[in-house]
Amino acid sequence: MIRRTPARPQVFAIALCVLISTTPGVSAAEAFPPAPEFSAERWINSAPLQIADLRGSVVLVEFWTYACWNCKNVEPYIRSWHETYAEEGLVVVAVHTPEFEFEKDYGNVRNYVRTRDLAYPVAIDNDFSTWKAYGNRAWPTVYLIDREGRIRYRHIGEGRYKETEKAIQALLGENSGGE
């Protein structure tokens, strides 16, 4: 089951996986929305990051929360992609957006990240500002942002790991001009 925002129904069984590609004759800049900036209040494993600073890299953004079982099931794949593709230009940014009050505690998140040995940047999004900017609705959700800062892929929930990895590979294979 996928965890959703508290204001929404708690469970839905749809997994959405979309690799967006351009239509012939339509430029990537015209076809894909720019990724919203991170507006996290604190960061773990990194100084504050901005999408503009990550241009030239493919960015995997994961919305998660540490007490979510679905998020824990996705975690080994996120870790593996970080370890496998970082040298090729993949940057993983985990946006921790809490569902419950205890998940808002920075010390709890920091301890979880340390215990699980998560090496990639973690943005603390207690006020849901980054979540809202992305129009996100569920934990976990993965977005892929191309080298030009445009959202090219979204997957909600667990599963579709091979498809997600193929999307990562495809975006890493594109040149910085998006051709």
Side-chain angles (χ1 to χ4, degrees):
M1 289 188 247
I2 299 169
R3 291 176 44 188
R4 298 189 74 179
T5 52
R8 307 270 185 223
Q10 293 298 315
V11 178
F12 69 97
I14 299 172
L16 177 63
C17 180
V18 181
L19 175 60
I20 306 167
S21 60
T22 59
T23 303
V26 177
S27 74
E30 296 170 313
F32 309 124
E37 285 296 346
F38 303 114
S39 54
E41 55 208 54
R42 295 176 86 172
W43 288 77
I44 300 171
N45 295 335
S46 176
L49 297 173
Q50 295 295 316
I51 292 296
D53 298 333
L54 300 173
R55 287 188 78 127
S57 298
V58 172
V59 182
L60 182 154
V61 176
E62 180 203 16
F63 286 91
W64 70 294
T65 188
Y66 76 85
C68 166
W69 283 106
N70 304 96
C71 300
K72 290 178 184 182
N73 293 337
V74 171
E75 185 179 296
Y77 297 93
I78 302 294
R79 176 194 313 271
S80 175
W81 295 328
H82 168 70
E83 292 169 356
T84 302
Y85 298 108
E87 289 185 18
E88 294 180 44
L90 180 69
V91 175
V92 172
V93 177
V95 179
H96 184 271
T97 311
E99 181 175 13
F100 301 109
E101 197 63 33
F102 69 89
E103 294 171 316
K104 291 181 179 180
D105 184 279
Y106 177 78
N108 289 345
V109 181
R110 188 185 64 232
N111 289 339
Y112 181 88
V113 168
R114 185 180 62 236
T115 301
R116 302 293 281 216
D117 196 29
L118 303 180
Y120 40 83
V122 177
I124 305 300
D125 189 34
N126 285 349
D127 66 359
F128 283 69
S129 58
T130 302
W131 173 285
K132 290 174 188 172
Y134 276 76
N136 201 57
R137 299 185 130 179
W139 297 272
T141 299
V142 170
Y143 294 84
L144 291 178
I145 300 166
D146 69 16
R147 295 179 190 277
E148 296 299 316
R150 297 177 307 259
I151 296 173
R152 296 280 298 277
Y153 176 94
R154 179 180 69 174
H155 175 71
I156 299 170
E158 297 182 52
R160 312 238 359 149
Y161 302 116
K162 288 181 183 176
E163 291 84 352
T164 301
E165 186 165 13
K166 286 180 184 176
I168 291 167
Q169 293 168 345
L171 291 174
L172 288 170
E174 291 181 354
N175 70 27
S176 61
E179 301 297 321

